[in-house]
Amino acid sequence: MREKQRHKTAAIIGTVTPVPHYPKKLKVYLTNASPFWQAVYWERGKTYRKSTKTTDKLEAFKTAIVFYEQILLAKYSHPSHVESLPISLPASTTLTSSKAKKTFLETYEEWFELKSSKWKQAHTRNVRNRIEKYLLKDLAAKPIKAITQTELLSSLKKLDKKGITHTQHRLLRDCKSIWQYAIATGNCNRDITLNLTIALKSPVYGQQHAVSAEELPMLMSKITAEQTLNDKIKCLALEVIAHTFVRTSELLGATWSEIDFENRVWLIPARRMKMGVEHIVPLSNHVISLLIYIREDFSKSDYVFNRLNSTQKLAPDSLIKMLHKLGYKKRMSTHGFRAIASSVLNEHGFNADAIERQLSHLERNRVRRAYNRAQYLSERKDMMNWWSQYLLDCYSSTTKQKY
């Protein structure tokens, strides 16, 4: 018997995919009617559909997530959602009940407890500090439902005078999440953070300074020149970061247990990485000799880079201050070593994917990035040895040091 032909807008079999980490009823799929992925969500017999306007599945996931959140906001903003709850509420319970009068402080603390369990320690501390420092004084005692858009904007605008627009926009992002939580829990029926972005100054992102490849020899000569004992460990740290082009926090948090001298690699655990995935750094002969020298003459604790006569690791701003002392203020940053390495390695024909992998610029897809942890490792080892020799060639014969 001839199979009945499917409508061109029907989902193509095998393409229907649930959006990761979201309800299974939120999916994306392809049809024969459009090249774009379609987002779909079912709830209580009602179907919501939207074209994602993209042929990229990962981008389709992102659009579907925004679509899902818009559905939730529309649902919880409508007074009828209380009547549709699958429980019986007391007759006295209304949107003006004591639950709806929960203060901003109470709502914030509930939201913070829920969200912070998934955050890294530093991010948790930063979120708490900025909300408690800049918002609680004005808003803590007010019922969250009663706070107006003007009142929230007034609190945010106070940061203009301090010139910290980055913090201002991060606060707005935090508030957006808090109000969405309040709507979802029935403590508020309107998201007052909508459209506030246009009333704030755009943040100005500071330039990550980096010298040119032509200026690199002079910089490396200064870093490796004779220094006072107090500056020596900082210059050694700068030399290691130049050869490995890791992030500053990854370098300063390094412990001896992460260094595998036998296999000549440094394995940075996921908890210390920006993207939350462990990272392999191949170590050249020169970097190995630097680490041996540091361990024998400077190490006082499990940290590779200690403060002078202390078991504490170097301060986060110690390297940038050292670059300033060497005469490179507003000319070079520690992040600049990553930019120079990327530029030089690409110019010399190294595999662009291997370079990106060594820079720990990872794919957002968790499964793929976990699988790729050691991708291009053989190429990366050759590349890191080449880069290390490139830097050594930058040193003048009078300042080159042996360890």
Side-chain angles (χ1 to χ4, degrees), residues 32 124 164 184 271 295:
N32 288 317
T124 300
I164 44 178
R271 60 183 169 77
R295 184 173 61 178

Side-chain angles (χ1 to χ4, degrees), residues 39-41 48-50 63-71:
V40 63
Y41 178 67
Y48 303 86
R49 289 189 179 88
K50 179 182 177 67
T63 303
I65 290 169
V66 173
F67 177 51
Y68 169 69
E69 291 173 346
Q70 289 172 339
I71 293 171

Side-chain angles (χ1 to χ4, degrees), residues 28-30 34-39 50-57 59-61 63-64:
V28 297
Y29 64 92
L30 290 173
S34 169
F36 302 132
W37 285 91
Q38 308 297 311
K50 179 182 177 67
S51 172
T52 66
K53 303 296 184 183
T54 180
T55 57
D56 185 301
K57 195 171 185 179
E59 289 300 318
F61 283 156
T63 303

Side-chain angles (χ1 to χ4, degrees), residues 245-247 250 334-343 359-361:
F245 49 88
V246 294
R247 297 179 179 91
E250 295 159 7
T334 50
H335 191 276
F337 288 111
R338 293 168 61 81
I340 297 171
S342 177
S343 177
L359 287 164
S360 68
H361 292 164

Side-chain angles (χ1 to χ4, degrees), residues 174-186:
D174 297 334
C175 287
K176 186 178 291 292
S177 182
I178 292 171
W179 255 267
Q180 289 175 354
Y181 170 78
I183 291 170
T185 54

Side-chain angles (χ1 to χ4, degrees), residues 247-307:
R247 297 179 179 91
T248 305
S249 61
E250 295 159 7
L251 180 86
L252 298 184
T255 60
W256 291 112
S257 61
E258 297 172 6
I259 309 297
D260 184 345
F261 284 95
E262 182 178 350
N263 294 308
R264 312 175 82 78
V265 294
W266 170 16
L267 182 60
I268 307 177
R271 60 183 169 77
R272 294 209 305 107
M273 292 299 298
K274 180 179 180 180
M275 297 295 289
V277 177
E278 65 180 9
H279 182 50
I280 299 173
V281 183
L283 303 175
S284 67
N285 291 338
H286 184 67
V287 174
I288 289 290
S289 66
L290 286 173
L291 291 173
I292 291 173
Y293 173 61
I294 292 168
R295 184 173 61 178
E296 292 176 351
D297 287 39
F298 291 91
S299 182
K300 303 290 183 182
S301 71
D302 290 337
Y303 289 115
V304 175
F305 300 100
N306 300 120
R307 303 181 191 186

Side-chain angles (χ1 to χ4, degrees), residues 18-265:
V19 176
H21 314 300
Y22 278 78
K24 292 183 179 179
K25 293 181 181 179
L26 179 63
K27 301 179 180 181
V28 297
Y29 64 92
L30 290 173
T31 72
N32 288 317
S34 169
F36 302 132
W37 285 91
Q38 308 297 311
V40 63
Y41 178 67
W42 295 275
E43 185 178 50
R44 297 183 184 180
K46 189 170 183 179
T47 303
Y48 303 86
R49 289 189 179 88
K50 179 182 177 67
S51 172
T52 66
K53 303 296 184 183
T54 180
T55 57
D56 185 301
K57 195 171 185 179
L58 295 180
E59 289 300 318
F61 283 156
K62 295 177 183 177
T63 303
I65 290 169
V66 173
F67 177 51
Y68 169 69
E69 291 173 346
Q70 289 172 339
I71 293 171
L72 289 186
L73 282 174
K75 174 185 173 184
Y76 288 114
S77 295
H78 199 284
S80 65
H81 85 274
V82 176
E83 301 171 4
S84 67
L85 291 174
I87 58 174
S88 297
L89 295 176
S92 61
T93 304
T94 66
L95 285 176
T96 58
S97 67
S98 60
K99 181 180 180 182
K101 293 181 180 178
K102 192 166 284 187
T103 65
F104 175 81
L105 176 61
E106 292 169 329
T107 308
Y108 153 66
E109 288 178 339
E110 287 182 8
W111 167 84
F112 185 84
E113 183 178 0
L114 177 69
K115 294 291 186 179
S116 60
S117 61
K118 300 178 182 179
W119 294 339
K120 292 185 178 180
Q121 185 177 359
H123 182 65
T124 300
R125 182 178 61 252
N126 290 339
V127 171
R128 178 178 284 281
N129 286 347
R130 62 177 173 252
I131 291 178
E132 294 184 356
K133 184 175 182 179
Y134 298 114
L135 291 182
L136 292 191
K137 182 179 179 180
D138 296 334
L139 307 177
K142 295 182 179 181
I144 190 164
K145 185 188 175 186
I147 297 173
T148 66
Q149 198 170 48
T150 303
E151 288 174 325
L152 178 58
L153 181 61
S154 176
S155 295
L156 294 173
K157 282 284 191 180
K158 291 179 180 179
L159 278 70
D160 282 342
K161 298 177 182 178
K162 300 178 183 292
I164 44 178
T165 53
H166 295 83
T167 302
Q168 188 182 61
H169 281 261
R170 291 185 183 111
L171 267 176
L172 178 58
R173 182 188 62 203
D174 297 334
C175 287
K176 186 178 291 292
S177 182
I178 292 171
W179 255 267
Q180 289 175 354
Y181 170 78
I183 291 170
T185 54
N187 295 303
C188 189
N189 55 17
R190 190 170 77 92
D191 183 1
I192 67 170
T193 66
L194 293 176
N195 301 320
L196 281 186
T197 304
I198 61 176
L200 302 177
K201 292 181 180 179
S202 298
V204 179
Y205 294 95
Q207 182 182 359
Q208 294 286 2
H209 300 288
V211 299
S212 65
E214 291 72 25
E215 297 173 290
L216 192 57
M218 179 59 69
L219 170 61
M220 295 307 300
S221 295
K222 289 186 176 182
I223 289 174
T224 57
E226 290 294 338
Q227 304 288 347
T228 64
L229 188 61
N230 188 46
D231 290 340
K232 186 64 178 178
I233 188 63
K234 299 171 188 175
C235 286
L236 287 167
L238 283 173
E239 191 170 2
V240 172
I241 207 171
H243 282 263
T244 58
F245 49 88
V246 294
R247 297 179 179 91
T248 305
S249 61
E250 295 159 7
L251 180 86
L252 298 184
T255 60
W256 291 112
S257 61
E258 297 172 6
I259 309 297
D260 184 345
F261 284 95
E262 182 178 350
N263 294 308
R264 312 175 82 78
V265 294

